[in-house]
Amino acid sequence: MTQEAQNDKFCLSRRAFLLSGGTAAGIVAVTGIPGLVDAALQTATYPRRKIGQVSKLKVDVPLVVQYPGKDPNSMAYLVKLGKSAGGGVGPKGDIVAFSTLCSHMGGPLIGTYKGKHKVLGPCPFHLTTFDLSRHGLVVAGQATESLPQVRLEVKGDDIYATGVMGLIYGYHDNLAIQG
Amino acid sequence: MVRAASDYQIPEDRIPLPPSNAEVLTTACDYCIVGCGYKAYRWPVGREGGPKAGQNALKVDFPAPVNSGKWISPNMHNITMVNGKPHHVVVIPDGDSKVVNVQGTHSVRGGALAQKLFNPNKPTAQRLRQPMMRVRGTLQAVSWDTAFEVAAGISKHVLDKYGEHAWGMKSYSYQYFENTYAISKLAFGAVGTPAFAPHDKPGPGKDTPGIDFSGINPFSASYEDWGAAEVIFFSGVDPYETKSVLFTSWIMAGKTPNKKLIFALPRKTTGVAWGESKGGLFLPVIPGTDTVLHLAMIRLILENGWEDKEFISRMISNKWEIGSGMGRGTRNTPWQWVTTWGKYGTDFANYKKWVLGYKYAELDRAAKITGVPANLIRKGYFWGVTATSPAFISEEDYQDFINISCGAGTRPGQVISRGGGHQRGWMGGAGYPRGLSPEKMPGRRKKEIDLDRWTADGNLRFAWVIGTTWFQAMAGSQNLMDAVRGMTAQSPHQIDSFDAKAAIETLKRRADSGGMAVVNQDIYPVAPIGTEYADLVLPAATWGEEDFTRCNGERRLRLYSKIADPPGQAMPDWKIIAGFAKKMGFKDFDWKDSNEIFEEAARFGRKGVLNYHPLVVKAKKDGVRAHDLLRSYGTEGIQTPIRMVKGELVGTKRLHDETLELGPPEGPTMHPKWLTHFGTQVGKAVLLKSPWEDFQDFYERVTPKGDEVWVTNGRINEVWQSAFDDKRRPYIMQRWPYQFLEIHPDDAKKRGIESGDLVAVENDDLLVQTGGYLGVDGKDLTFTELEKAGKIEKSKGSFTAVAMVTEAIRPGVTFAYFNFPENPANSVVHRVVDPMTNRYRYKLGKGKLRKLGESPYKHSFTTMSFAPRDIM
Ligand code: SF4
Ligand code: FES
């Protein structure tokens, strides 16, 4: 089977689902914060990988981690915000992780974290800022998607990445390219 | 009220790639004036391309490279019907573009264009699909024929019995040449009514009269000029928030990326913060005082003799040249009212004398009035005069001299333009019948109607509203809604039968008892005009559902291709107009497609800056449809006015261009003087005095007192117009689920308000003009005289908003989005027009703030962000 044909097969089942399900095309009403993260991941299978330790994190000092792939597009920031946040883990619910590629056109966001406002940005390319306490919502700017958030779990002192909400810049499928 | 999309959005983590053989259509953005180029890829559901360049239509390996313009974000994909069959559609900025949005850059608005296309599984399911008539209070489907019959029946009655003044239309002015041509041909030509207003103003006329009366076309510059300027002075606008790609592709980049930016605004937004970080200047002006700021800067220039003397002697009109009428005709034109009524137009020597002797141009007094420290004003003018390539972009009027004095206007990188909001899509099929207008300036000069006052005063019997919220976009919104509700929904005469004749009889009785019949034509239900007041609601097809054309902010003409099927029985506006016109018995409304209108309309735009007539002539010669010839120009299109040189079509980069070399005009080509000179008869610009006293009476009356604050309003980057599409975008609704109000921490603290609190903004001192249609003596229509004559009434207005406490705004000033229809900020803006320009002072609302409690967003992690917009 050619690559294109394989994709056809995958697409058929997935799109059939999207067309028939009234709320499946991107909109699911959820109320709880953990639920928001969970709902996105019901149909995807992401690797579960240890990416850090709670005890090693300092407030407002982001660390570069790699998830879900090994390529440069999968570079993410793991950061302890110092106040609880959407999708946050750890004792204070303030540990979050996000893609470091701007979801507008892939601008590099490493080095742009602003502790005062808990935002990443402005992106050096077109100035988009993202609110890390609110699932990576755009504060101001041009990105057509929130900044993809890495789903986290904590076991003891260990932080595990278990999935990604949103399509990472450059990818057509977060799970298609892993190496 | 229409509830928008969910506040919570679960983003997709994959998109289908267009296979190599996907169809490709070119288009441009439906939204702001920048007019970015886009490509639509469509292919039947059931197939998908692969991540290798050879496997997808973008011809790129995934992961797509950074900044390539080749990445498809989930909001760029949708599934929609094409000829009745489900198709994937990807609408993506043109990554190969060398103009406008170079390399596929885009804004948050245009980037999500694919979500505009109708998909019944998404919030676009709310699209109007059938004509509806309100029978016994409920909108229910009827046939197009019934809808046209009822609309024509009541129209004939109103025209026969009350005349064309009683038949009104409120319509967008920009939603494509084909539609506006049909609309104006009907309203001004066939019906001949003066009771017309575009979406953004109470009546027809110039958007920025000050710039225009000086002889400067508001869209004379090309984007390249913004890229090449060394200093740009922005008055009342941060293009990052409103014309995103103009800022990101041209102002932040272009030939001189290190340009200096000066902003005069009451609040600091992203573009201002970026400008400051690059050594620019922020002049935090008190709303409404810009004129004084400009005067002070001009005075400093003149005091120091730093004006561009060579340019002024060459390009500014002298006394005799002004008197020659400037090619606008000397009688009964808006230009003449301004230049003679108040004696504004003047030559340089007299202008200089006036400014140097004018107390409101004194630096210290200006600093006090404007709230801008004197040292900042001084810095601002200094940069302007020392730059070799200054440029000016403005949403204000009467500040032209500051620009001209620095030699801007006619040379590459030295230009003056408006920022502008929407694209340029007006093609008049007939002229506005100003002679029939019920309004008159002092003297014998007619002026365009103020449709809102005309309506509120009870003069309309029929209103047709096309593609606009009307009330929420106009000042004193709620007061206007009250008036219209009384004439429509509260009339005892409500249609109670599906029989067209019976319906017409009911509406006749309504009209005869002082009421009004309403037709609302739009793509979504619009509250309250469509949902509560209209007797007929007509579903329109829109962008991507028909081949359309129009120009952007550098007059770039493109074909906007049909991509997908319109929902249900929706039809493009031109077709609806034609259906009605035929029922009325009007001739020459039988076009078979939008291309036919495009070709017909070309003749009517020949003398204007949007002239594309040579393209139509060439298409005829080549034996192709004009739309198809334009299609061959792709996303690049061609800049109007189009000329013919050696048989080929040539675009015009900038207007008033001293560097443009023109041979003799060829074939259908026109060479108006303004191609190489300013837009006046002698080709020189006219200086206009801008006396503060003309505005001072109104300004002082509406200045906040006691615990009132200014309530100004404007655009934010993430939302377009009335949010009609954004409301159907879960992503945007998550960011902006509700109206907001920026408040300075000092003002918030006094009132116990925190970010996330729900506040009511209430203006119990709302001024509304009634009557006052005819001016006799010189000062008759000034605010002071209107008030004396009892023509200014007091009303109320209010809206609620979620507080955003931020130091980015001046103390004493608050800021809301200009048109969230559910919470209209214009409710607290006074409905009194400027006597000279017939425009509202939209940015000068005021009110008291009342904390109502906490909004649901205050402690939410999913919806709305309270981080400021000026983080750098
Ligand atoms: S900048 Fe304007 S034209 Fe360009 S994509 Fe955004 S909204 Fe559309
Ligand atoms: S790439 Fe980040 S704002 Fe454009």
Side-chain angles (χ1 to χ4, degrees):
Chain A
M1 233 199 273
T2 63
Q3 177 76 38
E4 195 157 328
Q6 279 173 12
N7 279 315
D8 280 357
K9 199 165 156 241
F10 179 61
C11 160
L12 264 175
S13 54
R14 179 182 167 84
R15 290 298 137 180
F17 166 70
L18 281 185
L19 274 176
S20 61
T23 58
I27 313 132
V28 181
V30 284
T31 43
I33 300 145
L36 180 58
V37 180
D38 288 334
L41 300 166
Q42 280 163 5
T43 54
T45 332
Y46 281 88
R48 180 183 157 90
R49 193 185 305 149
K50 184 179 159 187
I51 57 164
Q53 286 169 280
V54 175
S55 58
K56 295 259 164 73
L57 291 175
K58 291 202 192 82
V59 171
D60 289 338
V61 183
L63 296 180
V64 176
V65 296
Q66 194 71 33
Y67 189 84
K70 297 266 159 54
D71 61 314
N73 291 60
S74 276
M75 261 199 296
Y77 251 170
L78 177 66
V79 57
K80 184 174 165 66
L81 300 174
K83 62 176 205 187
S84 53
V89 297
K92 282 181 77 178
D94 65 341
I95 300 169
V96 291
F98 286 89
S99 168
T100 59
L101 283 194
C102 177
S103 49
H104 181 228
M105 296 179 75
L109 297 173
I110 285 179
T112 67
Y113 177 71
K114 305 282 182 300
K116 181 174 173 201
H117 299 295
K118 312 301 170 197
V119 307
L120 207 49
C123 171
F125 287 2
H126 317 101
L127 312 180
T128 303
T129 43
F130 300 94
D131 190 338
L132 301 193
S133 68
R134 306 217 168 195
H135 294 289
L137 265 185
V138 165
V139 175
Q142 314 306 348
T144 56
E145 307 289 328
S146 293
L147 194 60
Q149 182 170 19
V150 179
R151 182 202 193 193
L152 303 177
E153 268 176 34
V154 168
K155 207 161 190 192
D157 192 39
D158 294 339
I159 305 168
Y160 291 87
T162 62
V164 179
M165 283 210 324
L167 184 62
I168 292 170
Y169 179 84
Y171 293 159
H172 72 291
D173 182 336
N174 284 348
L175 294 171
I177 300 154
Q178 285 190 53
Chain B
M1 193 166 297
V2 186
R3 182 54 208 138
S6 161
D7 292 342
Y8 308 110
Q9 188 232 8
I10 307 302
E12 297 275 334
D13 60 1
R14 80 178 293 281
I15 40 95
L17 293 174
S20 326
N21 61 353
E23 275 179 277
V24 190
L25 299 158
T26 62
T27 187
C29 182
D30 189 42
Y31 306 122
C32 90
I33 182 134
V34 180
C36 298
Y38 277 78
K39 280 185 178 157
Y41 296 84
R42 69 176 186 199
W43 69 100
V45 162
R47 290 191 295 125
E48 224 178 285
K52 296 265 169 289
Q55 297 168 333
N56 63 69
L58 293 168
K59 301 188 178 63
V60 74
D61 283 328
F62 279 78
V66 164
N67 221 6
S68 58
K70 302 280 180 181
W71 181 62
I72 304 168
S73 90
N75 268 318
M76 293 175 186
H77 166 255
N78 204 346
I79 292 178
T80 187
M81 290 294 194
V82 178
N83 296 325
K85 300 212 170 62
H87 278 63
H88 289 286
V89 176
V90 163
V91 183
I92 178 172
D94 183 1
D96 302 319
S97 183
K98 295 186 178 54
V99 298
V100 192
N101 53 324
V102 182
Q103 280 187 335
T105 159
H106 57 278
S107 74
V108 51
R109 304 179 298 282
L113 269 168
Q115 304 311 314
K116 183 182 180 78
L117 296 169
F118 176 64
N119 176 346
N121 291 320
K122 291 190 174 188
T124 48
Q126 294 164 358
R127 279 286 296 273
L128 296 170
R129 297 169 217 204
Q130 298 151 296
M132 292 186 287
M133 186 157 77
R134 192 181 306 276
V135 177
R136 297 187 58 78
T138 307
L139 283 171
Q140 298 183 65
V142 292
S143 67
W144 273 113
D145 196 63
T146 303
F148 290 144
E149 194 178 335
V150 173
I154 181 62
S155 290
K156 281 182 189 155
H157 175 75
V158 168
L159 290 170
D160 286 350
K161 192 158 177 188
Y162 302 96
E164 54 278 271
H165 296 81
W167 191 97
M169 187 178 263
K170 177 84 183 172
S171 167
Y172 60 69
S173 69
Y174 58 90
Q175 216 52 340
Y176 306 106
F177 290 159
E178 293 78 1
N179 290 329
T180 57
Y181 177 82
I183 288 168
S184 53
K185 184 170 178 168
L186 174 73
F188 303 153
V191 174
T193 182
F196 178 94
H199 63 284
D200 54 353
K201 302 183 274 282
K206 299 294 176 191
D207 289 342
T208 46
I211 292 177
D212 187 82
F213 296 159
S214 302
I216 301 161
N217 183 281
F219 297 103
S220 48
S222 75
Y223 297 167
E224 238 179 79
D225 293 317
W226 302 116
E230 287 182 4
V231 172
I232 307 182
F233 180 61
F234 300 90
S235 191
V237 61
D238 168 8
Y240 185 82
E241 293 275 343
T242 58
K243 290 152 268 286
S244 322
V245 166
L246 183 67
F247 197 88
T248 58
S249 277
W250 297 98
I251 292 169
M252 288 172 71
K255 205 169 134 203
T256 54
N258 293 321
K259 52 182 82 70
K260 282 204 160 122
L261 309 183
I262 308 169
F263 292 88
L265 281 170
R267 63 194 269 271
K268 200 187 278 186
T269 43
T270 311
V272 181
W274 184 83
E276 273 193 312
S277 77
K278 299 280 164 193
L281 204 57
F282 172 46
L283 310 177
V285 67
I286 293 172
T289 64
D290 319 52
T291 300
V292 176
L293 177 70
H294 300 147
L295 283 170
M297 291 169 87
I298 293 163
R299 181 170 166 143
L300 286 167
I301 292 170
L302 295 178
E303 270 174 2
N304 288 288
W306 280 353
E307 67 273 15
D308 186 338
K309 297 185 183 70
E310 183 276 328
F311 183 82
I312 288 171
S313 68
R314 203 158 42 84
M315 296 307 286
I316 301 295
S317 297
N318 65 31
K319 210 161 91 193
W320 291 277
E321 287 162 340
I322 296 171
S324 74
M326 319 316 301
R328 287 151 193 271
T330 50
R331 277 176 199 285
N332 203 17
T333 63
W335 184 82
Q336 199 202 17
W337 312 331
V338 172
T339 50
T340 63
W341 171 50
K343 304 228 184 319
Y344 294 102
T346 180
D347 61 9
F348 177 69
N350 280 306
Y351 185 87
K352 183 171 172 178
K353 204 168 133 203
W354 176 71
V355 170
L356 292 181
Y358 191 47
K359 64 177 178 184
Y360 290 109
E362 288 164 12
L363 184 59
D364 291 334
R365 191 190 293 260
K368 205 164 150 228
I369 294 174
T370 62
V372 182
N375 64 324
L376 285 185
I377 301 180
R378 223 185 254 125
K379 241 194 202 169
Y381 93 88
F382 181 73
W383 287 355
V385 296
T386 49
T388 51
S389 276
F392 300 88
I393 191 162
S394 167
E395 286 303 309
E396 310 281 331
D397 268 332
Y398 300 104
Q399 51 105 23
D400 36 36
F401 180 69
I402 191 170
N403 317 338
I404 288 173
S405 67
C406 301
T410 58
R411 293 172 284 192
Q414 294 175 268
V415 291
I416 303 168
S417 269
R418 272 185 77 190
H422 54 78
Q423 293 172 32
R424 315 319 289 172
W426 180 261
M427 192 50 66
Y432 176 73
R434 190 186 294 121
L436 297 177
S437 170
E439 308 218 28
K440 184 176 85 51
M441 304 288 282
R444 283 191 313 190
R445 295 166 198 122
K446 283 279 190 173
K447 82 175 185 186
E448 291 95 344
I449 202 166
D450 162 0
L451 184 69
D452 298 342
R453 182 163 37 103
W454 186 245
T455 306
D457 287 351
N459 295 305
L460 279 195
R461 295 288 179 273
F462 173 89
W464 190 339
V465 184
I466 305 177
T468 167
T469 56
W470 189 356
F471 318 120
Q472 295 97 322
M474 296 294 108
S477 313
Q478 289 159 333
N479 177 283
L480 189 55
M481 283 182 213
D482 292 345
V484 175
R485 190 185 302 117
M487 296 161 76
T488 57
Q490 289 173 343
S491 160
H493 305 288
Q494 299 295 328
I495 298 173
D496 62 0
S497 163
F498 285 95
D499 174 47
K501 295 202 171 50
I504 294 166
E505 287 311 313
T506 307
L507 295 179
K508 282 183 183 175
R509 282 196 296 277
R510 187 190 301 172
D512 293 345
S513 62
M516 177 168 87
V518 171
V519 177
N520 181 215
Q521 178 172 327
D522 216 306
I523 61 173
Y524 285 108
V526 177
I529 187 72
T531 55
E532 292 174 46
Y533 304 166
D535 301 290
L536 291 165
V537 172
L538 309 180
T542 184
W543 177 94
E545 296 167 353
E546 173 82 335
D547 284 342
F548 286 130
T549 57
R550 71 177 168 197
C551 288
N552 74 352
E554 55 174 359
R555 299 159 276 100
R556 194 175 288 280
L557 176 70
R558 266 85 47 94
L559 184 87
Y560 297 60
S561 298
K562 174 171 178 171
I563 298 166
D565 301 344
Q569 297 176 336
M571 300 200 292
D573 293 309
W574 67 263
K575 216 177 213 175
I576 300 175
I577 295 286
F580 168 82
K582 278 184 233 161
K583 274 271 187 248
M584 291 292 287
F586 295 143
K587 297 234 154 39
D588 298 327
F589 282 88
D590 12 47
W591 305 287
K592 73 172 190 296
D593 59 19
S594 60
N595 175 66
E596 254 186 38
I597 308 184
F598 180 67
E599 294 183 359
E600 176 181 323
R603 253 177 347 111
F604 292 79
R606 270 181 304 180
K607 293 195 177 140
V609 296
L610 306 182
N611 176 19
Y612 62 86
H613 184 238
L615 176 120
V616 174
V617 171
K618 177 136 191 347
K620 288 237 164 79
K621 203 171 126 248
D622 296 354
V624 294
R625 297 161 82 245
H627 266 178
D628 291 335
L629 178 57
L630 182 58
R631 196 191 305 275
S632 72
Y633 284 79
T635 59
E636 182 162 338
I638 180 164
Q639 282 175 281
T640 64
I642 298 174
R643 291 169 287 131
M644 203 177 265
V645 178
K646 298 199 181 96
E648 293 303 316
L649 299 179
V650 173
T652 304
K653 186 178 285 183
R654 73 181 65 76
L655 309 179
H656 319 322
D657 184 356
E658 288 189 73
T659 65
L660 179 66
E661 284 176 21
L662 293 169
E666 186 182 313
T669 306
M670 308 271 259
H671 282 176
K673 187 146 203 159
W674 44 257
L675 279 179
T676 50
H677 292 73
F678 286 119
T680 58
Q681 192 172 44
V682 291
K684 297 185 183 180
V686 180
L687 293 180
L688 299 169
K689 291 190 228 168
S690 49
W692 175 240
E693 289 88 345
D694 283 4
F695 172 59
Q696 197 177 13
D697 54 351
F698 177 77
Y699 178 78
E700 283 173 2
R701 175 64 183 83
V702 303
T703 297
K705 311 218 163 46
D707 60 349
E708 289 175 337
V709 289
W710 286 113
V711 184
T712 189
N713 64 71
R715 295 180 187 273
I716 41 167
N717 184 58
E718 295 81 29
V719 180
W720 172 245
Q721 302 292 67
S722 62
F724 62 92
D725 276 343
D726 304 292
K727 259 191 249 172
R728 281 88 193 179
R729 287 181 192 164
Y731 167 65
I732 299 298
M733 283 301 103
Q734 194 177 351
R735 174 68 187 93
W736 293 113
Y738 205 80
Q739 174 67 287
F740 67 94
L741 190 76
E742 285 184 356
I743 310 172
H744 189 272
D746 295 351
D747 297 319
K749 205 169 159 211
K750 267 187 246 163
R751 297 164 176 85
I753 295 169
E754 295 175 356
S755 279
D757 286 343
L758 186 69
V759 293
V761 184
E762 295 165 306
N763 183 357
D764 292 344
D765 182 33
L766 183 82
L767 307 178
V768 173
Q769 182 185 343
T770 62
Y773 295 96
L774 304 175
V776 180
D777 284 337
K779 293 227 172 266
D780 272 3
L781 299 182
T782 61
F783 179 73
T784 307
E785 292 304 316
L786 286 173
E787 202 167 34
K788 268 192 216 152
K791 305 283 186 203
I792 303 292
E793 289 181 357
K794 258 175 81 160
S795 181
K796 289 181 179 186
S798 60
F799 66 97
T800 57
V802 176
M804 304 200 51
V805 179
T806 169
E807 283 176 9
I809 191 150
R810 278 192 72 98
V813 182
T814 63
F815 176 91
Y817 185 68
F818 81 115
N819 191 0
F820 269 123
E822 287 78 10
N823 321 90
N826 279 326
S827 298
V828 301
V829 175
H830 311 278
R831 205 167 71 240
V832 179
V833 294
D834 168 63
M836 205 159 57
T837 60
N838 212 21
R839 303 286 172 257
Y840 295 129
R841 280 59 76 103
Y842 280 114
K843 305 304 164 193
L844 299 184
K846 66 166 185 174
K848 293 182 183 169
L849 309 182
R850 183 199 298 271
K851 177 174 160 176
L852 298 176
E854 292 186 342
S855 81
Y857 315 111
K858 188 168 183 180
H859 304 291
S860 164
F861 284 137
T862 55
T863 315
M864 214 159 179
S865 168
F866 297 103
R869 301 183 74 74
D870 63 339
I871 300 171
M872 217 20 80

